[in-house]
Amino acid sequence: MSRKKDRRQKAILDQLSINPTLRVGRLSDLLEVTTETIRRDLEELAAEGLISRTYGGAMLRQPAEPSLSQRHTELVEERAAIGRAAAPLLSGARVLMLGSGATTTQLAKRIAFEMSDLTVIAHSVSVAAALAMNPTIQVVMAPGIYHPGEGALHGAQTVRFLSDYSADWSVTGASAISPLGPSDALMEAGDVYATMLRQSARHMVLADHSKFDRMATARYADWGEIDVLVSDARPQGPLQRALKAGGVDLRLARG
């Protein structure tokens, strides 16, 4: 691939990170090239699995979310490092709300090891099991409809339950993060995370580098609503600028 084409296709991906769906004509105007050139670029990017073609345009490809059991075996060191970096930031909290996922489970293990005398409101079985190792931590499980692939409870009952509580911090993971905010592959999880955010004084997102510059089905916040992002790498381009504009405190985990 020529350097010029490489820069142009990177610019297309950057634009799609900001505007998840764009038409060929709009991309042509933004990049000042012909629509034929844009169509060829989109076909190549689609063949590489980076985007999905739409009628007259394109959108960033939504990542397929593996089951929780599979995610527990992937990027283990990176997720453990994120958990280690996140736990000290919660010092002094008395009530937490924790979302589901492999990275939040790693954080729960660190909380059980480092913290005491607090209440954690959770909807994830693996998070609750990790916290149960510490008898000084009171775990409150939200009710709801059990999702076997995620090992967590979701639905209207879960949202109503969480709405009756307040927390010092809520902490959630994400299937994807883009300049528009964090998102989850499960719409039901997005509803739960948005509720946790509303019910907490501060909110933290945990996401490893594989989630960067991607969109998933349910965006549950914009960056102006997020206080801290803990990751194992520094985002670049539009995502980096969106975090700065939103006032997000980026914390990098060390291996």
Side-chain angles (χ1 to χ4, degrees):
M1 182 185 296
S2 71
R3 187 171 300 177
K4 186 176 180 180
K5 182 192 288 188
D6 185 57
R7 287 197 300 267
R8 189 174 63 245
Q9 293 189 359
K10 175 67 167 61
I12 290 173
L13 293 173
D14 286 346
Q15 289 296 328
L16 288 171
S17 294
I18 301 169
N19 304 284
T21 302
L22 283 172
R23 297 185 66 81
V24 168
R26 177 60 175 158
L27 285 167
S28 175
D29 292 340
L30 288 169
L31 302 183
E32 299 180 341
V33 295
T34 66
T35 56
E36 290 77 10
T37 297
I38 292 296
R39 288 191 180 95
R40 286 195 297 269
D41 286 336
L42 295 181
E43 291 298 335
E44 291 182 12
L45 291 169
E48 295 174 20
L50 296 174
I51 66 169
S52 296
R53 289 302 308 271
T54 63
Y55 182 75
M59 63 183 294
L60 278 182
R61 188 176 182 184
Q62 296 188 3
E65 182 79 338
S67 67
L68 181 63
S69 60
Q70 182 179 341
R71 300 201 310 274
H72 276 309
T73 67
E74 299 171 343
L75 298 171
V76 176
E77 292 183 5
E78 291 86 346
R79 287 169 168 156
I82 291 171
R84 289 194 299 271
L89 304 178
L90 304 173
S91 176
R94 298 269 55 89
V95 180
L96 304 174
M97 289 186 179
L98 294 188
S100 63
T103 310
T104 48
T105 300
Q106 290 288 346
L107 171 61
K109 292 177 181 178
R110 298 307 304 179
I111 290 172
F113 182 71
E114 298 179 13
M115 301 179 71
S116 61
D117 302 317
L118 74 157
T119 297
V120 179
I121 302 167
H123 72 127
S124 161
V125 174
S126 64
V127 165
L131 294 168
M133 301 300 292
N134 185 332
T136 75
I137 296 176
Q138 177 178 320
V139 180
V140 179
M141 279 297 292
I145 299 171
Y146 183 70
H147 188 288
E150 188 62 20
L153 296 122
H154 302 121
Q157 191 176 13
T158 314
V159 169
R160 285 196 301 270
F161 179 87
L162 293 171
S163 297
D164 288 335
Y165 291 87
S166 297
D168 301 302
W169 278 94
S170 55
V171 186
T172 58
S175 301
I177 59 174
S178 78
L180 298 176
S183 54
D184 200 90
L186 292 175
M187 288 186 288
E188 301 92 335
D191 291 338
V192 170
Y193 295 168
T195 304
M196 288 182 167
L197 190 148
R198 287 195 301 270
Q199 299 303 118
S200 57
R202 304 192 72 193
H203 188 82
M204 181 189 302
V205 172
L206 311 180
D208 65 75
H209 66 278
S210 70
K211 312 299 177 61
F212 290 179
D213 298 311
R214 292 287 183 265
M215 286 287 293
T217 304
R219 183 172 68 90
Y220 61 86
D222 60 46
W223 291 118
E225 300 172 283
I226 305 300
D227 295 285
V228 180
L229 169 66
V230 184
S231 186
D232 61 326
R234 187 179 298 277
Q236 302 296 322
L239 178 54
Q240 182 185 42
R241 293 192 289 273
L243 294 173
K244 184 176 181 180
V248 178
D249 181 8
L250 175 64
R251 299 296 183 102
L252 294 179
R254 306 300 178 188

